[in-house]
DNA sequence: TATTGTTATACTCTATAACTATA
DNA sequence: TATAGTTATAGAGTATAACAATA
């Protein structure tokens, strides 16, 4: 079947977005088989390592989940030794979520396997098209986070 | 904040895909407030109108849900008068799901409001970038459906 | 024996409500 | 009074298992 022909025919954007979510999960979930909370657990680990988002409420906001689910996430990652809760001296209500040394090492392994899985995900999509897609996707993701936040 | 700068920084593809799912839902869900099963119900209506996918098993496969949930979907859309089950004379096990006249009229209204919502979703993204993104998205969606199907 | 549709049940993920402690 | 974290409970969405009818 011709890809471009189907691209023109498939005007249901919602279906397309749902499908890439499923397809991405299909290639990447095996990588997260042993990661607590799977893909979301990995995203949390990625976030505390790469972003300056540390409190549980801020992490919930960034990951797009309710703040009441964060304790469960952090509990499970902490039990696996991937992150730890640190007291914030500036505000004793706050817990700073930080990756442990083991968490960073595990993240390094996982992120390489994620890259491999993403190559499978994109398949033979031309490099230029892939990089353009990923760039727009990132722009739209940040925009989407704002759109979703407005709903509350 | 500069969009392009954040695009380079955000290398967590899984997070981006999850976010656009949430952002798209945020703009489009109000349109589906009165549609049984919401966005998925609309996708089902879209499919039986635009594709030659009629049996419940084939619809489940296309929409990426287990076939055991289809009876609930079809029941609800049928109760709302949007679709009807027709007997397939060629195979009496099969039920052909077809949009009713009312279903087609409702779909026409809804699809216009969906297009409006999608304009909000894309915001000020340049037309060329948007059309390139949607084209690649459709290609990747079809590819993703195959990837997800391979998992079974 | 395999497939379509169906139903009941169970599981996963997430949100709601209510609480404690700090600010 | 408001906010960060926590806990228990409930809900939405989906899958698993088992069955009847038909191929």
């Amino acid at each position: 079947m011709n890809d471009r022909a189907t691209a023109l025919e498939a005007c249901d954007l919602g279906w397309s977005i749902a499908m890439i979510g499923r397809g991405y999960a299909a290639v990447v979930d095996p990588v997260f088989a042993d990661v607590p909370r799977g893909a979301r657990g990995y995203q949390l680990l990625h976030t505390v390592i790469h972003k300056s988002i540390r409190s549980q409420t801020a992490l919930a906001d960034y990951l797009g989940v309710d703040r009441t689910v964060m304790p469960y996430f952090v509990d499970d990652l902490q039990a696996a030794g991937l992150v730890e809760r640190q007291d914030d001296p500036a505000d004793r209500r706050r817990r700073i979520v930080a990756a442990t040394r083991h968490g960073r090492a595990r993240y390094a392994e996982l992120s390489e396997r994620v890259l491999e899985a993403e190559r499978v995900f994109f398949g033979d999509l031309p490099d230029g098209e892939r990089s353009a897609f990923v760039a727009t996707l990132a722009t739209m993701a940040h925009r989407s986070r704002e759109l979703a936040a407005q709903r509350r």
Side-chain angles (χ1 to χ4, degrees), chain A:
Chain A
M1 199 191 276
N2 184 315
D3 278 338
R4 284 305 158 202
T6 62
L8 291 173
E9 151 207 349
C11 53
D12 189 344
L13 201 58
W15 177 83
S16 294
I17 291 173
M19 281 306 120
I20 65 164
R22 284 175 54 84
Y24 185 81
V27 297
V28 100
D29 276 359
V31 177
F32 301 137
D34 295 328
V35 179
R37 304 274 161 174
R40 302 313 286 274
Y42 174 78
Q43 284 171 27
L44 176 50
L45 196 55
H46 173 97
T47 305
V48 298
I49 288 173
H50 290 298
K51 315 267 178 188
S52 50
I53 297 170
R54 315 301 272 284
S55 80
Q56 295 186 194
T57 299
L59 283 165
D61 184 56
Y62 183 75
L63 295 175
V65 295
D66 195 87
R67 71 194 177 87
T68 60
V69 302
M70 288 309 296
Y72 305 114
F73 274 73
V74 178
D75 280 352
D76 290 354
L77 289 171
Q78 191 169 37
L82 300 172
V83 302
E84 60 186 8
R85 286 176 170 98
Q86 297 169 351
D87 293 334
D88 184 348
D91 185 340
R92 278 163 49 212
R93 291 173 302 183
R94 240 179 215 150
R95 308 284 174 82
I96 292 168
V97 181
T100 61
R101 168 169 289 176
H102 173 240
R104 285 175 186 277
R106 191 98 177 78
Y107 174 81
E109 291 166 27
L110 290 169
S111 62
E112 285 208 18
R113 294 180 57 199
V114 167
L115 279 175
E116 255 178 68
E118 287 172 357
R119 272 194 286 275
V120 173
F121 176 63
F122 286 115
D124 58 1
L125 193 76
D127 280 5
E129 188 172 349
R130 191 201 60 225
S131 60
F133 178 71
V134 170
T136 305
L137 187 66
T139 300
M140 287 304 302
H142 285 274
R143 176 172 169 69
S144 290
R145 204 175 78 80
E146 290 166 26
L147 284 169
Q150 279 172 25
R151 242 211 310 203
R152 291 170 220 158

